Amino acid sequence: MRVPMIAGNWKMNTTLSEAIELVNEMRRELDEIGNVDKVICPPFISLAAVRELINGSSIKLGAQNIYFEEKGAYTGEISPLMLSDLCEFVIIGHSERRHYFNETGEIVNKKVQAALGVGLKPILCVGERLEENEAGRTEEVVTEQLRSSLAKIDYLSGLIIAYEPVWAIGTGKAATGKQANETIGLIRRNISELYDGEIAQDMRILYGGSVNAANTTEFLNQPEIDGALVGGASLKANQFLSIVKQAAEIRGRL
Ligand code: 13P
């Protein structure tokens, strides 16, 4: 059975001291919750400090982005190698990166390859925009993103997918559990076609987009949804703890 995962994407929020404060606020309680992988993804500048704070606990650490080269003259970028001994996960292809920073499928693909190459576990994000959703193109867009992101990759070791419809991110307008479950089922079928049925069955696929403590059950009760990638609500210790606790409870019952 797939272990559920709740990952908090802090995005470009928290100074170093705020990050430390937020981790201190939830560390003890978060550590004690079993049956679910708990991942926090603070900004780069706080990774080392947060790593120290969660050392020895069951809380896992992720970054929000990487560059695909190992090292060199790429001012301002962070390489997979730099992250490899700092954290376990890295978010790749988030829609904010695709849209604000023009990340193409090809770039996302290079990043996924680079992350896997150093043993980092990518949390690969895919999702359609509002106009694509309204035009009934969700399936086509998500399939294309998935196939381009995973092109030429034979081995998906530890890769996680997050389905994040762009229209649901930061808008307070989450998808319904049923909608998200359908698209995640489609993603799983694609993985089965591209790789094999066993890899697809073992792969964790999360939903992201306006997840909060009040709507967590809607998603975690769906059979295809293995957890959530949480933005805004992961910046509030009580909200994040509540989401993680609910995930553990729901999945513990199944
Ligand atoms: P919100 O939860 O703030 O909608 O953000 C979702 C997201 O983009 C997580 O990566």
Side-chain angles (χ1 to χ4, degrees), residues 9 11 94 164 168-170 209-211 229-232:
N9 175 8
K11 307 192 180 182
H94 192 281
E164 298 207 309
I169 296 177
S210 298
V211 174
L229 182 55
V230 185

Side-chain angles (χ1 to χ4, degrees), residues 2 126 138 142 146 161-165 176-191 200 203-208 219 222-228:
R2 302 184 291 264
V126 294
T138 300
V142 169
L146 204 58
I161 295 175
Y163 167 56
E164 298 207 309
T176 64
K178 189 167 168 287
Q179 281 172 322
N181 192 63
E182 266 172 31
T183 309
I184 290 179
L186 161 84
I187 293 172
R188 208 178 293 287
R189 285 196 296 283
N190 265 287
I191 295 295
M203 175 162 293
R204 288 185 289 183
I205 312 180
L206 317 179
Y207 166 76
F219 298 106
Q222 300 288 337
E224 294 287 355
I225 306 181
D226 301 314

Side-chain angles (χ1 to χ4, degrees), residues 9-234:
N9 175 8
W10 295 7
K11 307 192 180 182
M12 198 176 72
N13 294 293
T14 67
T15 60
L16 175 58
S17 55
E18 286 165 347
I20 292 170
E21 198 178 320
L22 181 54
V23 174
N24 278 333
E25 229 179 302
M26 58 187 179
R27 176 178 51 179
R28 192 185 49 78
E29 260 187 275
L30 205 51
D31 181 31
E32 286 167 0
I33 308 169
N35 300 325
V36 52
D37 272 350
K38 303 145 288 190
V39 183
I40 49 178
C41 305
F44 284 132
I45 59 143
S46 300
L47 282 174
V50 170
R51 181 171 181 260
E52 288 298 307
L53 290 175
I54 61 175
N55 189 18
S57 80
S58 58
I59 306 164
K60 300 178 177 194
L61 192 59
Q64 299 175 16
N65 181 33
I66 46 167
Y67 192 54
F68 48 75
E69 295 290 351
E70 187 181 300
K71 60 180 168 183
Y74 302 101
T75 303
E77 292 297 316
I78 303 287
S79 86
L81 192 63
M82 292 171 185
L83 290 179
S84 62
D85 60 358
L86 203 51
C87 60
E88 184 176 343
F89 298 92
V90 58
I91 298 171
I92 297 179
H94 192 281
S95 69
E96 286 149 17
R97 297 224 49 98
R98 292 179 192 261
H99 301 144
Y100 299 140
F101 303 99
N102 303 319
E103 282 192 14
T104 60
E106 195 186 335
I107 293 172
V108 171
N109 176 245
K110 284 186 180 171
K111 292 186 171 190
V112 174
Q113 291 191 47
L116 289 170
V118 295
L120 282 167
K121 296 172 184 156
I123 302 176
L124 169 65
C125 302
V126 294
E128 81 287 0
R129 295 176 191 234
L130 181 62
E131 59 272 27
E132 294 163 338
N133 179 279
E134 286 174 348
R137 294 183 52 225
T138 300
E139 184 166 338
E140 172 201 335
V141 171
V142 169
T143 301
E144 199 289 315
Q145 284 178 353
L146 204 58
R147 293 188 177 232
S148 61
S149 306
L150 297 177
K152 303 178 294 238
I153 298 176
D154 304 326
Y155 193 57
L156 294 183
S157 160
L159 180 130
I160 287 148
I161 295 175
Y163 167 56
E164 298 207 309
V166 178
W167 47 270
I169 296 177
T171 58
K173 185 175 174 268
T176 64
K178 189 167 168 287
Q179 281 172 322
N181 192 63
E182 266 172 31
T183 309
I184 290 179
L186 161 84
I187 293 172
R188 208 178 293 287
R189 285 196 296 283
N190 265 287
I191 295 295
S192 180
E193 279 170 29
L194 291 170
Y195 298 89
D196 66 46
E198 200 175 312
I199 290 176
Q201 274 317 306
D202 288 347
M203 175 162 293
R204 288 185 289 183
I205 312 180
L206 317 179
Y207 166 76
S210 298
V211 174
N212 56 42
N215 64 16
T216 298
T217 52
E218 161 116 15
F219 298 106
L220 269 293
N221 271 314
Q222 300 288 337
E224 294 287 355
I225 306 181
D226 301 314
L229 182 55
V230 185
S234 71

